[in-house]
Amino acid sequence: MKRIAVLTSGGDCPGMNAAIRSVVRTALSKGIEVYGIEQGYKGLIEGEFRKLESKDVANIIQKGGTFLRSARSERFKTEEGQKEAVKNLEKYNIDGLVVIGGDGSLRGATVLCGKYGVNVIGIPGSIDNDIYGTDMSIGVDTALNTIVRCIDSINDTASSHDRTFLIEVMGRNCGYLALMSAIAGGAEAVLIPEVPFNIEKIIEKIKKRYEEGKTRSIVIVAEGVGSAYDFGKVFGMIGGFETRITVLGHLQRGGSPTVFDRTLATRMGTFAVETLLDGTGCGKMVALQKTKMELVELNDVLNKKKELDPKLLEIAEILSN
């Protein structure tokens, strides 16, 4: 390979810049030219390519988001769009492509590899930590730290006013953020898509806490189970006690990446380039498994479901009493 490209797609997350930086500087150290593709698959179709040098990725490791920017692309889902994307890769003589993103981004990488023979490797970037095959994705640790800081702040005012707070966090299909932030933030209950729950039992549990003299309760709600506002109405009608709602929303996506996310992204970026160049990484995704960098087939990533650790569910239940 003489020339590779890198893009970020889908939802942004802290650490993407660190991964891009690592890809660029690792490739340059091996005499490989690097092109950045702006706005993900949209830019791939529209030919938004620019050559990247070492100076272009200076002073970005500490910044959230992605300096290459990201965008959704409905056009890429069509054969016409895909062919245009491949045409642009050929136009710029790109020998290999690094795709950084979540499920949708990796699905696009699989299409380029399986259908058109493009040498692609994926790097998991998703704050939900819902990507199969890797223990952690880029951005998860930063998002959790952001959520827990918010829980700590809300705890202070909740205790002062004897209130119950429902805090809604991201996680449409995966409750990892909600579960881990509930454990780390000392919440009394957590509602996640993976586990059935009885809202009346949760309300009774919170009532009992007040009867015991405890001055506040925190309930974490993953967006995948419903709106915290709707649950708040139920808490008011059945429980009869005062609740307040906080929806963290896109606050969770931003912020300077933690040390963990910076080092994870850097390791993944370097490993992606090295395995792409030696031919072992094509059609695969870089993954953190225990403490090591490994490769997982993209088809497995997309067709297998990541499960929550049942021990963590048990811990959350024990510590919430």
Side-chain angles (χ1 to χ4, degrees):
M1 291 187 181
K2 296 181 179 179
R3 185 177 293 177
I4 67 171
V6 56
L7 65 81
T8 52
S9 177
D12 67 298
C13 63
M16 279 185 165
N17 281 326
I20 297 167
R21 173 180 178 270
S22 181
V23 167
V24 171
R25 291 190 171 176
T26 301
L28 292 175
S29 74
K30 298 178 182 299
I32 307 297
E33 288 186 356
V34 188
Y35 278 75
I37 301 170
E38 299 190 345
Q39 293 192 300
Y41 290 111
K42 179 177 180 289
L44 183 57
I45 292 172
E46 296 176 359
E48 297 287 334
F49 287 62
R50 66 164 166 143
K51 191 174 182 181
L52 297 176
E53 303 292 352
S54 182
K55 63 181 176 59
D56 295 311
V57 293
N59 198 35
I60 66 170
I61 193 171
Q62 78 280 10
K63 295 179 180 178
T66 163
F67 91 103
L68 287 177
R69 297 178 295 154
S70 184
R72 310 284 183 185
S73 177
E74 291 300 315
R75 191 177 164 201
F76 185 76
K77 296 177 182 179
T78 68
E79 189 166 337
E80 174 268 332
Q82 294 163 9
K83 287 182 176 178
E84 193 65 30
V86 173
K87 181 181 175 182
N88 282 326
L89 289 171
E90 292 171 348
K91 175 183 175 181
Y92 284 88
N93 296 314
I94 302 301
D95 301 311
L97 177 65
V98 180
V99 173
I100 306 169
D103 179 79
S105 306
L106 298 173
R107 195 170 298 279
T110 306
V111 169
L112 288 174
C113 178
K115 193 173 178 180
Y116 299 99
V118 178
N119 291 321
V120 185
I121 188 167
I123 294 178
S126 169
I127 67 167
D128 289 350
N129 206 30
D130 57 349
I131 300 175
Y132 175 85
T134 185
D135 294 342
M136 289 286 276
S137 296
I138 296 170
V140 176
D141 187 67
T142 306
L144 278 173
N145 276 275
T146 299
I147 293 168
V148 171
R149 279 196 298 271
C150 292
I151 293 173
D152 290 345
S153 296
I154 288 170
N155 250 323
D156 293 339
T157 188
S159 297
S160 298
H161 295 278
D162 294 349
R163 285 174 178 160
T164 296
F165 271 79
L166 276 71
I167 304 174
E168 183 181 313
V169 302
M170 286 184 171
R172 188 174 297 109
N173 301 309
C174 177
Y176 185 86
L177 284 181
L179 176 61
M180 296 305 292
S181 61
I183 292 173
E188 279 61 57
V190 56
L191 311 182
I192 59 176
E194 293 89 340
V195 180
F197 55 86
N198 185 316
I199 198 70
E200 293 186 358
K201 285 186 177 181
I202 293 173
I203 290 172
E204 284 302 313
K205 178 180 180 179
I206 292 173
K207 275 186 174 181
K208 184 178 179 182
R209 283 178 53 79
Y210 285 119
E211 291 168 1
E212 292 172 349
K214 294 173 181 175
T215 59
R216 68 98 185 96
S217 291
I218 300 289
V219 178
I220 309 298
V221 181
E223 63 179 343
V225 301
S227 167
Y229 286 101
D230 292 337
F231 284 112
K233 292 175 183 176
V234 175
F235 271 60
M237 286 188 293
I238 298 178
F241 43 77
E242 194 172 13
T243 61
R244 291 291 184 273
I245 311 300
T246 300
V247 179
L248 298 184
H250 284 79
L251 177 71
Q252 298 159 87
R253 286 197 185 280
S256 180
T258 60
V259 171
F260 181 89
D261 272 329
R262 296 184 198 193
T263 53
L264 176 63
T266 298
R267 291 177 66 195
M268 285 184 165
T270 296
F271 192 69
V273 173
E274 290 174 346
T275 53
L276 193 62
L277 295 182
D278 69 20
T280 60
C282 297
K284 297 177 183 177
M285 182 194 76
V286 178
L288 176 69
Q289 295 182 354
K290 296 183 180 178
T291 60
K292 296 182 179 180
M293 291 292 111
E294 302 288 354
L295 292 171
V296 181
E297 294 285 346
L298 280 172
N299 284 327
D300 287 343
V301 173
L302 298 177
N303 294 317
K304 294 184 179 181
K305 181 177 173 59
K306 187 170 186 176
E307 304 290 343
L308 288 179
D309 182 348
K311 187 63 180 178
L312 292 174
L313 295 168
E314 181 185 334
I315 290 171
E317 179 62 28
I318 291 170
L319 298 186
S320 67
N321 293 318

Coordinates of all heavy atoms in Angstrom, one line a residue, residues 118-177:
V118 N -13.0 -3.3 -1.5 CA -12.1 -2.3 -1.0 C -11.4 -2.8 0.3 O -12.1 -3.5 1.1 CB -12.9 -1.1 -0.6 CG1 -12.1 0.0 0.0 CG2 -13.6 -0.5 -1.9
N119 N -10.2 -2.5 0.5 CA -9.4 -2.9 1.7 C -9.8 -2.0 2.8 O -9.4 -0.8 2.9 CB -7.9 -2.8 1.4 CG -7.4 -3.9 0.5 OD1 -7.9 -5.0 0.5 ND2 -6.5 -3.6 -0.4
V120 N -10.7 -2.4 3.7 CA -11.2 -1.6 4.8 C -10.9 -2.2 6.1 O -11.0 -3.5 6.3 CB -12.7 -1.4 4.6 CG1 -13.3 -0.5 5.7 CG2 -13.1 -0.9 3.2
I121 N -10.6 -1.4 7.1 CA -10.6 -1.8 8.5 C -11.4 -0.9 9.3 O -11.4 0.3 9.1 CB -9.1 -2.0 9.0 CG1 -9.1 -2.6 10.4 CG2 -8.4 -0.6 9.0 CD1 -7.7 -3.1 10.8
G122 N -12.1 -1.4 10.3 CA -12.9 -0.5 11.2 C -12.3 -0.3 12.5 O -11.6 -1.1 13.1
I123 N -12.7 0.9 13.1 CA -12.3 1.2 14.5 C -13.6 1.6 15.2 O -14.3 2.4 14.7 CB -11.3 2.4 14.6 CG1 -10.0 2.0 14.0 CG2 -11.1 2.8 16.0 CD1 -8.9 3.1 14.0
P124 N -14.0 0.9 16.3 CA -15.2 1.2 17.0 C -15.3 2.5 17.7 O -14.5 2.7 18.7 CB -15.4 0.0 17.9 CG -13.9 -0.4 18.3 CD -13.2 -0.1 17.0
G125 N -16.2 3.4 17.3 CA -16.4 4.6 18.0 C -17.8 4.8 18.3 O -18.6 5.2 17.4
S126 N -18.3 4.6 19.6 CA -19.7 4.7 19.9 C -19.8 4.8 21.5 O -19.3 3.9 22.2 CB -20.4 3.5 19.5 OG -21.7 3.4 20.0
I127 N -20.4 5.8 22.0 CA -20.5 6.0 23.4 C -21.4 5.0 24.1 O -21.3 4.7 25.3 CB -20.9 7.4 23.8 CG1 -22.3 7.7 23.4 CG2 -20.0 8.5 23.3 CD1 -22.9 8.9 24.1
D128 N -22.3 4.3 23.3 CA -23.2 3.3 23.9 C -22.5 2.0 24.3 O -23.1 1.3 25.1 CB -24.3 3.0 22.9 CG -25.3 4.1 22.6 OD1 -25.2 5.1 23.4 OD2 -26.1 4.1 21.7
N129 N -21.3 1.8 23.8 CA -20.6 0.5 24.0 C -21.4 -0.7 23.6 O -21.5 -1.7 24.3 CB -20.2 0.4 25.5 CG -18.9 -0.5 25.6 OD1 -18.1 -0.6 24.7 ND2 -18.8 -1.2 26.7
D130 N -22.1 -0.6 22.4 CA -22.9 -1.6 21.9 C -22.4 -2.4 20.8 O -23.1 -3.2 20.2 CB -24.3 -1.0 21.5 CG -24.1 0.1 20.4 OD1 -22.9 0.5 20.2 OD2 -25.1 0.5 19.8
I131 N -21.1 -2.2 20.5 CA -20.4 -2.9 19.4 C -19.9 -4.2 19.8 O -19.0 -4.3 20.7 CB -19.4 -2.0 18.7 CG1 -20.0 -0.7 18.2 CG2 -18.7 -2.7 17.6 CD1 -19.0 0.3 17.7
Y132 N -20.3 -5.3 19.1 CA -19.9 -6.6 19.4 C -18.4 -6.8 19.2 O -17.8 -6.3 18.2 CB -20.6 -7.7 18.6 CG -20.2 -9.1 18.8 CD1 -20.6 -9.9 19.8 CD2 -19.2 -9.6 17.9 CE1 -20.2 -11.2 20.0 CE2 -18.7 -10.9 18.1 CZ -19.2 -11.7 19.1 OH -18.7 -13.0 19.3
G133 N -17.7 -7.6 20.0 CA -16.4 -8.0 19.8 C -15.3 -7.2 20.5 O -14.2 -7.7 20.6
T134 N -15.7 -6.0 21.0 CA -14.7 -5.2 21.7 C -15.2 -4.9 23.1 O -16.4 -4.7 23.3 CB -14.4 -3.9 21.0 OG1 -13.4 -3.2 21.7 CG2 -15.6 -3.0 20.9
D135 N -14.3 -5.0 24.1 CA -14.7 -4.7 25.5 C -15.2 -3.3 25.6 O -16.1 -3.0 26.4 CB -13.6 -5.0 26.4 CG -13.2 -6.5 26.5 OD1 -14.1 -7.3 26.1 OD2 -12.1 -6.9 27.0
M136 N -14.4 -2.4 25.0 CA -14.8 -1.0 25.0 C -14.6 -0.3 23.7 O -13.7 -0.7 22.9 CB -13.8 -0.3 26.0 CG -14.1 -0.6 27.5 SD -15.6 0.2 28.2 CE -14.9 1.8 28.6
S137 N -15.5 0.6 23.4 CA -15.4 1.4 22.2 C -14.8 2.8 22.5 O -15.0 3.2 23.7 CB -16.7 1.6 21.5 OG -17.2 0.3 21.1
I138 N -14.3 3.5 21.6 CA -13.8 4.9 21.8 C -15.0 5.7 22.2 O -16.1 5.7 21.6 CB -13.2 5.4 20.5 CG1 -11.9 4.6 20.2 CG2 -12.8 6.9 20.7 CD1 -11.3 5.0 18.8
G139 N -14.8 6.5 23.3 CA -15.8 7.5 23.7 C -16.6 7.1 24.9 O -17.2 7.9 25.6
V140 N -16.6 5.8 25.2 CA -17.5 5.3 26.3 C -17.0 5.8 27.6 O -17.8 6.3 28.4 CB -17.5 3.7 26.3 CG1 -18.3 3.2 27.5 CG2 -18.0 3.2 25.0
D141 N -15.7 5.8 27.9 CA -15.2 6.2 29.2 C -15.5 7.7 29.5 O -15.9 8.1 30.6 CB -13.7 5.9 29.3 CG -13.2 6.1 30.7 OD1 -13.6 5.4 31.6 OD2 -12.4 7.1 30.9
T142 N -15.3 8.5 28.4 CA -15.5 9.9 28.6 C -17.0 10.2 28.8 O -17.4 11.0 29.7 CB -15.1 10.7 27.3 OG1 -13.7 10.3 27.0 CG2 -15.2 12.2 27.5
A143 N -17.9 9.5 28.1 CA -19.3 9.7 28.3 C -19.7 9.3 29.7 O -20.5 10.0 30.4 CB -20.1 8.9 27.3
L144 N -19.2 8.2 30.2 CA -19.5 7.8 31.6 C -19.1 8.8 32.6 O -19.8 9.1 33.6 CB -18.9 6.4 31.9 CG -19.7 5.2 31.3 CD1 -18.8 3.9 31.5 CD2 -21.0 5.1 32.0
N145 N -17.9 9.3 32.4 CA -17.4 10.3 33.4 C -18.3 11.6 33.3 O -18.5 12.2 34.4 CB -15.9 10.7 33.0 CG -14.9 9.7 33.6 OD1 -14.5 9.9 34.8 ND2 -14.5 8.7 32.9
T146 N -18.7 12.0 32.2 CA -19.6 13.1 32.0 C -20.9 12.8 32.8 O -21.4 13.7 33.5 CB -19.9 13.4 30.6 OG1 -18.7 13.7 29.9 CG2 -20.9 14.6 30.4
I147 N -21.5 11.7 32.5 CA -22.8 11.3 33.2 C -22.6 11.3 34.7 O -23.5 11.8 35.4 CB -23.3 9.9 32.7 CG1 -23.6 10.0 31.2 CG2 -24.5 9.5 33.5 CD1 -23.8 8.6 30.6
V148 N -21.6 10.7 35.2 CA -21.4 10.6 36.7 C -21.2 11.9 37.3 O -21.7 12.2 38.4 CB -20.3 9.6 37.0 CG1 -19.9 9.6 38.5 CG2 -20.7 8.2 36.6
R149 N -20.5 12.8 36.6 CA -20.3 14.2 37.1 C -21.7 14.9 37.3 O -22.0 15.6 38.3 CB -19.4 15.0 36.2 CG -17.9 14.8 36.5 CD -17.1 15.9 35.8 NE -17.3 15.9 34.4 CZ -16.6 15.3 33.5 NH1 -15.6 14.4 33.9 NH2 -16.8 15.4 32.2
C150 N -22.6 14.6 36.3 CA -23.9 15.2 36.3 C -24.7 14.6 37.5 O -25.4 15.3 38.2 CB -24.6 15.0 35.0 SG -23.9 15.9 33.6
I151 N -24.6 13.3 37.7 CA -25.3 12.6 38.8 C -24.9 13.2 40.1 O -25.7 13.4 41.0 CB -25.1 11.1 38.7 CG1 -25.7 10.5 37.5 CG2 -25.6 10.4 40.0 CD1 -25.4 9.0 37.3
D152 N -23.5 13.4 40.3 CA -23.0 13.9 41.5 C -23.6 15.3 41.8 O -23.9 15.6 42.9 CB -21.5 14.0 41.5 CG -20.8 12.6 41.5 OD1 -21.5 11.6 41.8 OD2 -19.6 12.5 41.1
S153 N -23.7 16.1 40.8 CA -24.2 17.5 41.0 C -25.7 17.4 41.3 O -26.2 18.2 42.2 CB -24.0 18.3 39.7 OG -22.6 18.5 39.4
I154 N -26.4 16.5 40.6 CA -27.9 16.4 40.9 C -28.1 15.9 42.3 O -29.1 16.2 43.0 CB -28.5 15.6 39.8 CG1 -28.6 16.4 38.5 CG2 -29.9 15.1 40.2 CD1 -29.0 15.5 37.3
N155 N -27.2 15.0 42.7 CA -27.3 14.4 44.1 C -27.4 15.5 45.2 O -28.1 15.4 46.1 CB -26.2 13.4 44.3 CG -26.6 12.0 44.4 OD1 -27.6 11.7 44.9 ND2 -25.7 11.1 43.9
D156 N -26.5 16.5 45.0 CA -26.5 17.5 46.0 C -27.8 18.3 46.1 O -28.3 18.4 47.3 CB -25.4 18.6 45.6 CG -24.0 18.0 45.6 OD1 -23.8 17.0 46.3 OD2 -23.1 18.6 44.9
T157 N -28.4 18.6 45.0 CA -29.7 19.4 45.1 C -30.8 18.4 45.5 O -31.8 18.8 46.2 CB -30.0 20.1 43.8 OG1 -31.1 21.0 44.0 CG2 -30.3 19.2 42.6
A158 N -30.8 17.2 45.0 CA -31.8 16.2 45.4 C -31.8 16.0 46.9 O -32.9 15.9 47.5 CB -31.6 14.9 44.7
S159 N -30.7 15.9 47.5 CA -30.6 15.7 49.0 C -31.1 16.9 49.8 O -31.7 16.8 50.8 CB -29.1 15.5 49.4 OG -28.7 14.3 48.8
S160 N -30.9 18.1 49.2 CA -31.3 19.4 49.8 C -32.8 19.5 49.9 O -33.4 20.1 50.8 CB -30.7 20.6 49.1 OG -29.3 20.5 49.2
H161 N -33.5 18.9 48.9 CA -34.9 19.1 48.7 C -35.8 17.9 48.9 O -37.0 17.9 48.6 CB -35.2 19.8 47.4 CG -34.7 21.1 47.2 ND1 -35.3 22.3 47.7 CD2 -33.5 21.5 46.6 CE1 -34.5 23.3 47.4 NE2 -33.5 22.9 46.7
D162 N -35.2 16.8 49.3 CA -35.9 15.5 49.5 C -36.7 15.1 48.2 O -37.9 14.8 48.3 CB -36.9 15.6 50.6 CG -36.2 15.8 52.0 OD1 -35.0 15.6 52.0 OD2 -36.9 16.1 53.0
R163 N -36.0 15.1 47.1 CA -36.6 14.9 45.8 C -36.1 13.6 45.2 O -35.0 13.1 45.5 CB -36.4 16.0 44.9 CG -37.3 17.2 45.2 CD -37.0 18.4 44.3 NE -37.8 19.6 44.6 CZ -37.5 20.8 44.2 NH1 -36.4 21.1 43.6 NH2 -38.4 21.8 44.5
T164 N -36.9 13.1 44.2 CA -36.5 12.0 43.4 C -36.2 12.6 42.0 O -37.0 13.3 41.4 CB -37.6 10.9 43.3 OG1 -37.8 10.3 44.6 CG2 -37.2 9.8 42.3
F165 N -35.0 12.2 41.5 CA -34.6 12.7 40.2 C -34.5 11.5 39.2 O -34.0 10.4 39.5 CB -33.2 13.3 40.2 CG -33.3 14.8 40.5 CD1 -33.5 15.3 41.8 CD2 -33.2 15.7 39.5 CE1 -33.5 16.6 42.0 CE2 -33.2 17.1 39.7 CZ -33.4 17.6 41.0
L166 N -35.2 11.7 38.1 CA -35.0 10.7 37.0 C -34.1 11.3 35.9 O -34.3 12.4 35.4 CB -36.4 10.4 36.3 CG -37.3 9.3 37.0 CD1 -37.8 9.9 38.3 CD2 -38.4 8.9 36.1
I167 N -33.0 10.6 35.7 CA -32.0 11.1 34.8 C -31.9 10.2 33.5 O -31.7 9.0 33.6 CB -30.6 11.1 35.4 CG1 -30.6 11.9 36.7 CG2 -29.5 11.6 34.5 CD1 -29.4 11.9 37.5
E168 N -32.2 10.8 32.4 CA -32.2 10.0 31.1 C -30.9 10.1 30.4 O -30.4 11.2 30.2 CB -33.3 10.5 30.2 CG -33.5 9.7 28.9 CD -34.6 10.3 28.0 OE1 -35.7 10.5 28.5 OE2 -34.3 10.4 26.8
V169 N -30.3 8.9 30.1 CA -29.0 8.9 29.4 C -29.2 8.2 28.1 O -30.3 7.5 27.8 CB -28.0 8.1 30.3 CG1 -27.8 8.8 31.6 CG2 -28.3 6.7 30.4
M170 N -28.2 8.2 27.2 CA -28.3 7.6 25.9 C -28.2 6.1 26.0 O -27.7 5.6 27.0 CB -27.2 8.1 25.0 CG -27.5 9.5 24.5 SD -26.2 10.1 23.3 CE -27.0 11.6 22.7
G171 N -28.7 5.4 25.0 CA -28.7 3.9 25.0 C -30.0 3.4 24.4 O -30.9 3.0 25.2
R172 N -30.1 3.5 23.1 CA -31.4 3.1 22.4 C -31.6 1.6 22.6 O -32.7 1.2 22.9 CB -31.3 3.5 21.0 CG -32.7 3.3 20.3 CD -32.7 3.9 18.9 NE -32.5 5.4 18.8 CZ -31.3 6.0 18.4 NH1 -30.3 5.2 18.0 NH2 -31.2 7.3 18.4
N173 N -30.5 0.8 22.3 CA -30.7 -0.6 22.3 C -29.8 -1.3 23.4 O -29.9 -2.5 23.6 CB -30.4 -1.2 20.9 CG -31.3 -0.7 19.9 OD1 -32.5 -0.7 20.0 ND2 -30.7 -0.2 18.8
C174 N -28.9 -0.5 24.0 CA -28.0 -1.0 24.9 C -28.0 -0.2 26.2 O -27.9 1.0 26.1 CB -26.6 -1.0 24.3 SG -25.2 -1.6 25.4
G175 N -28.1 -0.9 27.3 CA -28.2 -0.2 28.6 C -26.8 0.0 29.3 O -26.8 0.3 30.5
Y176 N -25.7 -0.1 28.6 CA -24.4 -0.1 29.3 C -24.2 1.2 30.0 O -23.8 1.2 31.2 CB -23.3 -0.3 28.3 CG -21.9 -0.4 28.9 CD1 -21.4 -1.6 29.4 CD2 -21.1 0.7 29.0 CE1 -20.2 -1.7 30.0 CE2 -19.8 0.6 29.6 CZ -19.4 -0.6 30.1 OH -18.2 -0.6 30.7
L177 N -24.4 2.3 29.3 CA -24.2 3.7 30.0 C -25.0 3.8 31.2 O -24.6 4.3 32.3 CB -24.5 4.8 29.0 CG -23.5 5.1 27.9 CD1 -24.0 6.3 27.0 CD2 -22.1 5.4 28.5

